[in-house]
Amino acid sequence: MHRNRNAVAARGLNSQARVIGLALLVVLAGLVFSMSIGAAGANVLSDPSKPDPSIAGAPNEASGQDLYQRGYYPEALAEWDRAVEKNKDGGAAFQLAEAYFDAAVVERDIVKAVKYYTLGAEWGDARAQEDLGTLFDKGWGVEKDLSKAAKWYEAAAKQGHPSAQYNIATMYEEGVGVEADKVKAYMYYQLSIEGGFPKFATEALETLSTEMKPTEIKEATKLVRAFKPMTAGESAAATKVTVKTSAGEDASTE
C-alpha cells in the first residue's frame, strides 16, 4: 500500500548505473542479512513455518503475526492459541477473535470469536474491548446489552482509543447504556478529536456544547486536561468480569 519511492527515484538512472547499483545492493543486502540473523535466522530459513526465534516473549501476538504475514495461517492461529493458553496474551486472543469473526482464513465461528474477544478484553487489550462493546451494542453473537456495550467501550476509551471514546461519548450524551452525563460526553468527544477521530466527534461536540452551561464545559475541559490513558494491565485489573458466550460457555479467566 505504500508507494515504492526507490522505484520512482531509479527511473532516471542509465543502464550502467543500474548494474552498478544492483551489485552494490546485493552486497549490502548480504552483509545486513549475515549480521542480523546469525544461527537463529538460519533456523527460520530451514523451517519457515516456524516463527522468528528472535521475537521476545513468544508465543505471543507478535510471533503469530510473523507467521500470518508470511502466509502460514494455520500455524499463526496455533501460535496465537498457545499464547492464549500459556501466557494469557490479550493481543493473541484479539487476533484469534478477528480471525474467527472475519472468516478470511478460517470458517466463521461466532462463538469462538466472542470467547476470544472476551478473553482479550478481560486481559486489557483495548482493541478487543472496543470490538466486544460493538458485539453487545449490535447484538452480534451475543444478546444485545447496551450496558455491557458501554462498559467495554469505556474500558477501551480509558486506554485512549479515539473511536471508543467517540462511541462512549454518544452513549453518555443520549443516556443509552449509562446514565446521561453531558460533562463526560463532552470530555470523551474532545479526547476523541485530539486522538485522531475528528470527523464525527467534532460535529457532535459542537452540537452538545450549545446545550451545556459554561460551568459544565469548564468542568469537562479540566477532565480532558487531566486525562491519563490507562495501561493494559491497569485496565485488566479494573474490568475483571465474567462474560458468557452466546453458547453459554464461561469465558472468564477467574
Side-chain angles (χ1 to χ4, degrees), residues 77-241:
L77 268 61
E79 182 76 1
W80 285 326
D81 189 62
R82 284 191 292 271
V84 167
E85 293 297 324
K86 293 183 178 181
N87 298 328
K88 294 186 177 181
D89 189 297
F94 168 74
Q95 294 294 350
L96 285 170
E98 291 282 275
Y100 285 115
F101 189 84
D102 292 340
V105 297
V106 292
E107 290 186 10
R108 175 167 285 116
D109 189 327
I110 192 65
V111 173
K112 285 186 177 180
V114 173
K115 172 186 175 181
Y116 287 117
Y117 277 131
T118 301
L119 289 174
E122 289 184 339
W123 293 338
D125 187 275
R127 299 163 299 176
Q129 290 171 342
E130 182 171 11
D131 284 355
L132 185 59
T134 299
L135 296 187
F136 282 114
D137 194 356
K138 304 297 184 183
W140 292 341
V142 294
E143 185 176 349
K144 186 171 183 176
D145 189 324
L146 295 179
S147 64
K148 288 181 179 178
K151 174 186 180 65
W152 291 115
Y153 281 149
E154 188 157 22
K158 286 180 178 180
Q159 291 199 63
H161 271 232
S163 54
Q165 289 168 339
Y166 170 79
N167 288 335
I168 191 60
T170 64
M171 299 184 87
Y172 273 118
E173 180 180 6
E174 300 167 9
V176 174
V178 290
E179 186 176 347
D181 190 324
K182 291 180 180 179
V183 171
K184 284 187 176 180
Y186 187 105
M187 174 191 71
Y188 280 123
Y189 279 137
Q190 183 61 44
L191 288 171
S192 179
I193 293 168
E194 293 178 3
F197 197 78
K199 184 176 181 180
F200 299 108
T202 300
E203 182 178 351
L205 183 62
E206 290 174 352
T207 301
L208 177 62
S209 62
T210 63
E211 304 169 0
M212 296 176 66
K213 300 175 183 178
T215 53
E216 292 176 319
I217 295 176
K218 184 177 181 180
E219 181 183 355
T221 302
K222 287 182 179 179
L223 292 175
V224 171
R225 291 173 179 170
F227 177 77
K228 181 181 178 181
M230 281 185 169
T231 64
E234 290 169 342
S235 180
T239 57
K240 285 184 178 179
V241 294

Side-chain angles (χ1 to χ4, degrees), residues 13-51:
L13 298 175
N14 59 38
S15 58
Q16 182 178 6
R18 288 195 189 98
V19 172
I20 296 172
L22 287 172
L24 289 172
L25 285 174
V26 169
V27 173
L28 288 172
L31 288 173
V32 171
F33 183 80
S34 61
M35 292 173 64
S36 63
I37 67 168
N43 291 333
V44 174
L45 293 178
S46 63
D47 190 353
S49 66
K50 300 294 184 182

